[in-house]
Amino acid sequence: MTVTPLGIPRRLLEFTLDGEPVRAPEGSTILDACRAAGKDVPTLCEGDTLRPKNACRVCVVEVEGARTLVPACSRKAEPGMEVRTDTERARHSRKVVLELLASSVDLSTTPRVAEWLKEYEAKPDRFGPDVARLNEEPKVDNDLYVRDYGKCILCYKCVDACGDQWQNTFAISVAGRGFDARIAVEHDAPLTDSACVYCGNCVEVCPTGALSFKSEFDMRAAGTWDESRQTETTTVCAYCGVGCNLTLHVQDNEIVKVTSPHDNPVTHGNLCIKGRFGYQHVQNRG
Amino acid sequence: MAFDDSVPLPRLLLRMAEFFRDESCGQCVPCRVGTVRQEEALHRIVERTGADAAGDIALLREVGRAMRDASICGLGQTAWNAVESAIDRLGAYE
Protein backbone atom coordinates (compact mmCIF):
# COMPACT_ATOMS: atom_id res chain seq x y z
CA MET A 1 0.00 0.00 0.00
CA THR A 2 1.30 3.42 -0.85
CA VAL A 3 0.65 5.91 1.92
CA THR A 4 -0.05 9.37 0.58
CA PRO A 5 0.50 12.07 3.18
CA LEU A 6 -2.52 14.35 3.17
CA GLY A 7 -0.78 17.37 4.71
CA ILE A 8 -2.62 20.31 6.15
CA PRO A 9 -5.83 21.32 4.37
CA ARG A 10 -5.24 23.96 1.76
CA ARG A 11 -7.56 26.78 0.78
CA LEU A 12 -8.91 26.63 -2.75
CA LEU A 13 -8.34 29.63 -4.97
CA GLU A 14 -10.30 30.45 -8.08
CA PHE A 15 -8.97 31.57 -11.41
CA THR A 16 -9.79 31.27 -15.09
CA LEU A 17 -8.20 28.62 -17.28
CA ASP A 18 -8.96 28.89 -21.00
CA GLY A 19 -12.15 30.79 -20.19
CA GLU A 20 -13.41 28.21 -17.68
CA PRO A 21 -13.48 28.94 -13.94
CA VAL A 22 -11.27 26.47 -12.04
CA ARG A 23 -10.40 25.93 -8.38
CA ALA A 24 -6.94 24.85 -7.32
CA PRO A 25 -5.42 24.33 -3.86
CA GLU A 26 -3.35 27.28 -2.71
CA GLY A 27 0.28 26.82 -3.69
CA SER A 28 -0.39 24.77 -6.81
CA THR A 29 1.22 25.72 -10.06
CA ILE A 30 -0.60 26.56 -13.27
CA LEU A 31 0.65 23.19 -14.55
CA ASP A 32 -0.98 21.35 -11.61
CA ALA A 33 -4.26 23.07 -12.44
CA CYS A 34 -3.89 22.29 -16.16
CA ARG A 35 -3.30 18.62 -15.41
CA ALA A 36 -6.25 18.51 -12.99
CA ALA A 37 -8.40 19.99 -15.74
CA GLY A 38 -7.16 17.34 -18.20
CA LYS A 39 -5.14 19.75 -20.35
CA ASP A 40 -2.01 18.35 -21.95
CA VAL A 41 0.74 20.98 -21.59
CA PRO A 42 4.11 19.65 -22.83
CA THR A 43 6.98 19.60 -20.31
CA LEU A 44 10.61 18.53 -20.46
CA CYS A 45 12.55 20.01 -17.53
CA GLU A 46 9.70 19.63 -15.05
CA GLY A 47 10.04 16.60 -12.80
CA ASP A 48 7.51 15.14 -10.39
CA THR A 49 10.16 14.65 -7.69
CA LEU A 50 12.06 17.91 -8.22
CA ARG A 51 11.50 21.63 -7.79
CA PRO A 52 10.81 23.32 -11.13
CA LYS A 53 13.81 24.86 -12.87
CA ASN A 54 11.74 26.40 -15.71
CA ALA A 55 14.68 26.12 -18.08
CA CYS A 56 13.19 24.41 -21.14
CA ARG A 57 10.30 26.86 -21.66
CA VAL A 58 8.21 24.32 -23.50
CA CYS A 59 5.32 24.64 -21.01
CA VAL A 60 4.82 28.39 -21.48
CA VAL A 61 1.27 29.74 -21.24
CA GLU A 62 -0.26 33.19 -21.58
CA VAL A 63 -1.33 35.07 -18.45
CA GLU A 64 -3.50 38.15 -18.88
CA GLY A 65 -1.47 41.25 -18.03
CA ALA A 66 1.95 39.57 -18.11
CA ARG A 67 4.51 41.10 -20.49
CA THR A 68 5.99 37.76 -21.44
CA LEU A 69 4.70 34.21 -21.45
CA VAL A 70 5.04 32.37 -18.14
CA PRO A 71 6.26 28.81 -17.47
CA ALA A 72 3.26 26.82 -16.23
CA CYS A 73 5.54 24.43 -14.29
CA SER A 74 6.78 27.03 -11.82
CA ARG A 75 4.26 29.88 -11.86
CA LYS A 76 1.90 29.55 -8.91
CA ALA A 77 -1.80 29.97 -9.58
CA GLU A 78 -3.21 33.19 -8.10
CA PRO A 79 -6.83 34.16 -7.45
CA GLY A 80 -8.41 35.98 -10.38
CA MET A 81 -5.61 35.05 -12.78
CA GLU A 82 -6.65 34.61 -16.40
CA VAL A 83 -4.60 31.87 -18.01
CA ARG A 84 -4.76 30.72 -21.60
CA THR A 85 -2.84 27.61 -22.56
CA ASP A 86 -3.53 27.28 -26.24
CA THR A 87 -3.21 30.75 -27.79
CA GLU A 88 -1.34 31.36 -31.03
CA ARG A 89 1.34 33.18 -29.02
CA ALA A 90 1.94 30.30 -26.59
CA ARG A 91 1.84 27.71 -29.37
CA HIS A 92 4.33 29.73 -31.40
CA SER A 93 6.87 29.79 -28.57
CA ARG A 94 6.42 26.07 -27.91
CA LYS A 95 6.90 25.32 -31.58
CA VAL A 96 10.08 27.40 -31.86
CA VAL A 97 11.50 25.99 -28.61
CA LEU A 98 10.92 22.45 -29.90
CA GLU A 99 12.54 23.38 -33.22
CA LEU A 100 15.54 24.95 -31.48
CA LEU A 101 16.00 21.83 -29.35
CA ALA A 102 15.44 19.31 -32.13
CA SER A 103 17.85 21.17 -34.43
CA SER A 104 20.66 21.12 -31.88
CA VAL A 105 20.17 17.96 -29.79
CA ASP A 106 19.48 14.30 -30.58
CA LEU A 107 15.93 13.85 -29.28
CA SER A 108 15.52 10.32 -30.67
CA THR A 109 15.07 8.80 -27.20
CA THR A 110 13.01 11.61 -25.67
CA PRO A 111 9.53 10.28 -24.91
CA ARG A 112 6.62 12.12 -26.57
CA VAL A 113 8.76 14.65 -28.40
CA ALA A 114 7.94 13.25 -31.85
CA GLU A 115 4.26 13.63 -31.03
CA TRP A 116 4.76 17.27 -29.92
CA LEU A 117 6.83 18.15 -32.99
CA LYS A 118 3.89 16.96 -35.07
CA GLU A 119 1.25 18.65 -32.95
CA TYR A 120 2.99 22.04 -33.09
CA GLU A 121 3.99 21.61 -36.76
CA ALA A 122 7.61 22.15 -35.82
CA LYS A 123 10.16 21.91 -38.64
CA PRO A 124 13.64 21.70 -37.09
CA ASP A 125 15.22 21.34 -40.56
CA ARG A 126 14.29 24.87 -41.60
CA PHE A 127 17.36 26.35 -39.89
CA GLY A 128 19.42 24.75 -42.66
CA PRO A 129 21.78 21.78 -42.92
CA ASP A 130 24.91 23.40 -41.47
CA VAL A 131 23.59 24.61 -38.13
CA ALA A 132 25.46 24.21 -34.86
CA ARG A 133 24.64 21.01 -32.99
CA LEU A 134 25.93 19.60 -29.72
CA ASN A 135 27.69 16.64 -31.41
CA GLU A 136 29.04 15.09 -28.23
CA GLU A 137 30.36 11.55 -28.23
CA PRO A 138 28.78 9.29 -25.58
CA LYS A 139 30.97 9.11 -22.48
CA VAL A 140 31.37 5.42 -21.66
CA ASP A 141 33.78 5.46 -18.74
CA ASN A 142 32.24 3.01 -16.30
CA ASP A 143 30.23 -0.22 -16.34
CA LEU A 144 27.01 1.16 -14.86
CA TYR A 145 25.72 4.11 -16.85
CA VAL A 146 26.50 6.14 -19.93
CA ARG A 147 26.44 9.91 -20.36
CA ASP A 148 25.48 10.78 -23.93
CA TYR A 149 25.52 14.57 -23.88
CA GLY A 150 24.61 14.79 -27.56
CA LYS A 151 21.12 14.11 -26.21
CA CYS A 152 21.25 16.60 -23.32
CA ILE A 153 18.80 19.51 -23.28
CA LEU A 154 20.35 21.02 -20.11
CA CYS A 155 17.21 20.64 -18.04
CA TYR A 156 19.30 20.64 -14.83
CA LYS A 157 17.32 17.71 -13.41
CA CYS A 158 20.41 15.49 -12.97
CA VAL A 159 22.26 18.34 -11.27
CA ASP A 160 19.36 18.93 -8.88
CA ALA A 161 18.94 15.21 -8.15
CA CYS A 162 22.67 14.83 -7.47
CA GLY A 163 22.78 18.02 -5.42
CA ASP A 164 20.74 19.48 -2.61
CA GLN A 165 17.35 18.23 -3.74
CA TRP A 166 18.08 14.53 -3.23
CA GLN A 167 21.48 12.91 -3.15
CA ASN A 168 23.66 15.70 -1.72
CA THR A 169 26.68 14.29 -3.56
CA PHE A 170 27.20 17.32 -5.82
CA ALA A 171 29.23 15.28 -8.33
CA ILE A 172 27.90 17.10 -11.40
CA SER A 173 27.22 20.67 -12.39
CA VAL A 174 26.84 22.83 -15.47
CA ALA A 175 30.20 23.78 -16.94
CA GLY A 176 30.64 26.52 -19.50
CA ARG A 177 28.01 28.97 -20.67
CA GLY A 178 25.63 29.65 -23.51
CA PHE A 179 25.53 27.08 -26.29
CA ASP A 180 28.78 25.57 -24.96
CA ALA A 181 27.31 24.80 -21.53
CA ARG A 182 27.50 21.10 -20.67
CA ILE A 183 26.89 18.90 -17.66
CA ALA A 184 30.25 17.81 -16.29
CA VAL A 185 31.93 16.46 -13.18
CA GLU A 186 34.67 18.48 -11.51
CA HIS A 187 37.55 19.24 -13.92
CA ASP A 188 35.56 17.36 -16.59
CA ALA A 189 37.22 14.17 -15.33
CA PRO A 190 35.97 10.66 -16.10
CA LEU A 191 33.13 9.66 -13.80
CA THR A 192 35.40 7.16 -12.07
CA ASP A 193 37.63 10.02 -10.85
CA SER A 194 34.69 12.08 -9.60
CA ALA A 195 32.57 12.30 -6.45
CA CYS A 196 29.85 10.20 -8.14
CA VAL A 197 28.47 7.45 -5.88
CA TYR A 198 26.62 5.68 -8.74
CA CYS A 199 23.20 5.96 -7.14
CA GLY A 200 21.80 6.50 -10.65
CA ASN A 201 19.30 9.06 -9.38
CA CYS A 202 20.36 11.31 -12.27
CA VAL A 203 19.48 8.51 -14.70
CA GLU A 204 16.08 8.21 -13.00
CA VAL A 205 15.16 11.84 -13.73
CA CYS A 206 16.81 12.34 -17.15
CA PRO A 207 13.99 13.22 -19.60
CA THR A 208 15.88 12.55 -22.84
CA GLY A 209 17.85 9.34 -22.39
CA ALA A 210 21.12 11.30 -22.33
CA LEU A 211 21.81 9.35 -19.15
CA SER A 212 21.05 5.68 -19.46
CA PHE A 213 21.95 2.31 -17.97
CA LYS A 214 24.96 0.80 -19.72
CA SER A 215 22.73 -2.23 -20.40
CA GLU A 216 20.17 -0.03 -22.17
CA PHE A 217 22.88 1.85 -24.08
CA ASP A 218 24.48 -1.40 -25.30
CA MET A 219 21.15 -2.94 -26.25
CA ARG A 220 20.11 0.19 -28.16
CA ALA A 221 23.45 0.11 -30.01
CA ALA A 222 22.88 -3.56 -30.85
CA GLY A 223 19.29 -2.85 -31.89
CA THR A 224 17.86 -5.27 -29.32
CA TRP A 225 16.26 -2.72 -26.95
CA ASP A 226 12.52 -3.25 -27.23
CA GLU A 227 10.27 -1.70 -24.59
CA SER A 228 7.22 -3.48 -25.95
CA ARG A 229 8.84 -6.78 -24.92
CA GLN A 230 9.68 -5.57 -21.42
CA THR A 231 7.76 -6.19 -18.24
CA GLU A 232 7.95 -4.06 -15.13
CA THR A 233 7.84 -5.73 -11.72
CA THR A 234 7.88 -3.66 -8.57
CA THR A 235 9.43 -5.39 -5.60
CA VAL A 236 11.31 -4.56 -2.40
CA CYS A 237 15.09 -4.23 -2.46
CA ALA A 238 16.71 -7.18 -0.69
CA TYR A 239 19.89 -5.45 0.45
CA CYS A 240 19.20 -3.46 3.61
CA GLY A 241 16.31 -2.81 5.97
CA VAL A 242 15.11 0.50 4.52
CA GLY A 243 12.69 -1.27 2.21
CA CYS A 244 13.05 0.71 -1.01
CA ASN A 245 10.75 -0.22 -3.84
CA LEU A 246 12.50 -1.34 -7.00
CA THR A 247 10.85 -1.63 -10.39
CA LEU A 248 12.69 -4.27 -12.39
CA HIS A 249 12.49 -3.81 -16.15
CA VAL A 250 12.87 -7.26 -17.65
CA GLN A 251 13.39 -8.20 -21.27
CA ASP A 252 13.85 -11.83 -22.34
CA ASN A 253 14.09 -12.90 -18.70
CA GLU A 254 17.02 -10.56 -18.03
CA ILE A 255 16.91 -7.42 -15.87
CA VAL A 256 17.81 -4.56 -18.20
CA LYS A 257 17.07 -1.54 -16.05
CA VAL A 258 16.02 -0.69 -12.48
CA THR A 259 13.87 2.28 -11.53
CA SER A 260 11.87 3.19 -8.44
CA PRO A 261 8.29 4.47 -8.31
CA HIS A 262 8.30 8.26 -7.96
CA ASP A 263 5.29 8.18 -5.65
CA ASN A 264 6.93 5.72 -3.26
CA PRO A 265 7.13 7.43 0.14
CA VAL A 266 10.45 5.72 0.98
CA THR A 267 12.41 6.44 -2.18
CA HIS A 268 10.61 9.18 -4.14
CA GLY A 269 12.27 7.51 -7.11
CA ASN A 270 15.72 7.50 -5.54
CA LEU A 271 17.91 4.46 -4.86
CA CYS A 272 21.51 3.70 -3.95
CA ILE A 273 24.12 1.90 -6.05
CA LYS A 274 23.08 -1.51 -4.68
CA GLY A 275 19.40 -1.21 -5.42
CA ARG A 276 19.93 0.53 -8.74
CA PHE A 277 22.79 -1.45 -10.25
CA GLY A 278 23.41 -4.50 -8.01
CA TYR A 279 21.02 -6.96 -9.62
CA GLN A 280 23.50 -9.33 -11.27
CA HIS A 281 23.20 -11.98 -8.52
CA VAL A 282 19.54 -12.42 -9.43
CA GLN A 283 20.58 -13.54 -12.88
CA ASN A 284 23.50 -15.69 -11.82
CA ARG A 285 22.25 -19.06 -12.99
CA GLY A 286 25.63 -20.81 -12.96
CA MET B 1 26.63 55.30 -30.41
CA ALA B 2 25.93 57.21 -33.59
CA PHE B 3 26.59 55.89 -37.09
CA ASP B 4 26.22 57.57 -40.45
CA ASP B 5 24.74 55.80 -43.45
CA SER B 6 28.13 54.61 -44.69
CA VAL B 7 28.13 51.92 -41.98
CA PRO B 8 27.00 48.56 -43.34
CA LEU B 9 24.08 47.62 -41.10
CA PRO B 10 24.23 43.85 -41.71
CA ARG B 11 27.77 43.70 -40.33
CA LEU B 12 26.78 45.79 -37.33
CA LEU B 13 23.84 43.47 -36.64
CA LEU B 14 26.07 40.45 -36.95
CA ARG B 15 28.40 41.93 -34.34
CA MET B 16 25.47 42.48 -31.99
CA ALA B 17 24.16 38.97 -32.56
CA GLU B 18 27.63 37.65 -31.76
CA PHE B 19 27.55 39.62 -28.51
CA PHE B 20 24.20 38.14 -27.47
CA ARG B 21 25.30 34.61 -28.37
CA ASP B 22 28.42 35.13 -26.29
CA GLU B 23 26.59 36.62 -23.34
CA SER B 24 23.80 34.01 -23.15
CA CYS B 25 24.28 32.07 -19.93
CA GLY B 26 22.66 28.99 -21.43
CA GLN B 27 20.01 28.38 -18.81
CA CYS B 28 16.91 28.62 -21.02
CA VAL B 29 16.42 27.13 -24.47
CA PRO B 30 15.03 30.14 -26.41
CA CYS B 31 18.10 32.24 -25.61
CA ARG B 32 20.75 29.49 -25.54
CA VAL B 33 19.88 28.13 -28.99
CA GLY B 34 17.91 31.13 -30.33
CA THR B 35 20.88 33.52 -30.19
CA VAL B 36 22.96 30.93 -32.10
CA ARG B 37 20.30 30.49 -34.79
CA GLN B 38 19.94 34.28 -35.04
CA GLU B 39 23.66 34.72 -35.62
CA GLU B 40 23.68 31.91 -38.21
CA ALA B 41 20.80 33.50 -40.15
CA LEU B 42 22.45 36.94 -40.06
CA HIS B 43 25.66 35.34 -41.36
CA ARG B 44 23.76 33.84 -44.29
CA ILE B 45 22.23 37.18 -45.32
CA VAL B 46 25.14 39.49 -44.59
CA GLU B 47 25.66 40.06 -48.31
CA ARG B 48 22.06 39.58 -49.41
CA THR B 49 19.07 41.89 -49.90
CA GLY B 50 15.41 41.78 -50.95
CA ALA B 51 13.95 38.44 -51.93
CA ASP B 52 17.27 36.67 -51.31
CA ALA B 53 17.10 37.61 -47.63
CA ALA B 54 13.33 37.32 -47.16
CA GLY B 55 13.32 33.68 -46.05
CA ASP B 56 15.93 34.20 -43.37
CA ILE B 57 14.27 37.43 -42.21
CA ALA B 58 11.00 35.54 -41.72
CA LEU B 59 12.94 32.91 -39.74
CA LEU B 60 14.58 35.65 -37.65
CA ARG B 61 11.16 37.11 -36.87
CA GLU B 62 9.86 33.77 -35.63
CA VAL B 63 12.92 33.00 -33.50
CA GLY B 64 13.03 36.60 -32.24
CA ARG B 65 9.40 36.49 -31.17
CA ALA B 66 9.92 33.26 -29.24
CA MET B 67 13.07 34.64 -27.57
CA ARG B 68 11.15 37.78 -26.53
CA ASP B 69 8.14 35.83 -25.25
CA ALA B 70 9.74 32.79 -23.65
CA SER B 71 13.26 33.66 -22.42
CA ILE B 72 13.79 33.87 -18.67
CA CYS B 73 15.63 37.17 -18.49
CA GLY B 74 16.03 40.47 -20.27
CA LEU B 75 19.05 39.35 -22.26
CA GLY B 76 17.15 36.76 -24.26
CA GLN B 77 14.02 38.89 -24.35
CA THR B 78 15.88 41.76 -26.03
CA ALA B 79 18.41 39.79 -28.09
CA TRP B 80 16.46 40.42 -31.27
CA ASN B 81 15.45 44.07 -30.65
CA ALA B 82 18.29 45.65 -32.62
CA VAL B 83 17.81 43.31 -35.58
CA GLU B 84 14.07 43.92 -35.62
CA SER B 85 14.36 47.68 -35.53
CA ALA B 86 17.12 47.70 -38.18
CA ILE B 87 14.86 45.70 -40.49
CA ASP B 88 11.62 47.56 -39.77
CA ARG B 89 12.83 51.12 -39.18
CA LEU B 90 16.10 51.44 -41.05
CA GLY B 91 15.33 49.16 -43.95
CA ALA B 92 18.34 46.89 -43.56
CA TYR B 93 18.48 44.15 -46.26
CA GLU B 94 16.30 46.14 -48.67
Side-chain angles (χ1 to χ4, degrees), chain A residues 54-55 57 67-69 88-89 92-93 95-96 100-101 103-104 126-127 131-132 153-154 156 177-179, chain B residues 22-30 32-33 36-37 40 44 59 62 65-66 68-72 77:
Chain A
N54 64 73
R57 319 302 281 182
R67 183 173 51 86
T68 59
L69 299 173
E88 188 274 330
R89 193 175 167 210
H92 173 81
S93 274
K95 178 186 88 157
V96 173
L100 293 174
L101 278 176
S103 66
S104 55
R126 69 196 180 117
F127 298 114
V131 295
I153 60 163
L154 279 182
Y156 289 71
R177 50 183 289 127
F179 197 76
Chain B
D22 243 14
E23 289 301 314
S24 172
C25 78
Q27 192 183 344
C28 68
V29 176
R32 180 176 77 232
V33 191
V36 174
R37 297 290 175 258
E40 288 167 347
R44 285 196 293 269
L59 193 68
E62 288 205 26
R65 186 177 172 216
R68 177 176 294 159
D69 276 346
S71 293
I72 294 176
Q77 288 165 12

Side-chain angles (χ1 to χ4, degrees), chain B residues 34-83:
Chain B
T35 53
V36 174
R37 297 290 175 258
Q38 170 170 275
E39 193 193 349
E40 288 167 347
L42 289 171
H43 252 297
R44 285 196 293 269
I45 59 172
V46 73
E47 301 288 346
R48 292 188 203 164
T49 52
D52 289 342
D56 276 315
I57 288 175
L59 193 68
L60 282 164
R61 281 189 199 283
E62 288 205 26
V63 174
R65 186 177 172 216
M67 284 199 284
R68 177 176 294 159
D69 276 346
S71 293
I72 294 176
C73 83
L75 186 114
Q77 288 165 12
T78 56
W80 132 265
N81 281 11
V83 185

Side-chain angles (χ1 to χ4, degrees), chain A residues 93-115:
Chain A
S93 274
R94 284 183 208 157
K95 178 186 88 157
V96 173
V97 163
L98 288 166
E99 287 175 334
L100 293 174
L101 278 176
S103 66
S104 55
V105 182
D106 173 6
L107 297 177
S108 61
T109 52
T110 308
R112 296 203 62 194
V113 86
E115 177 195 327

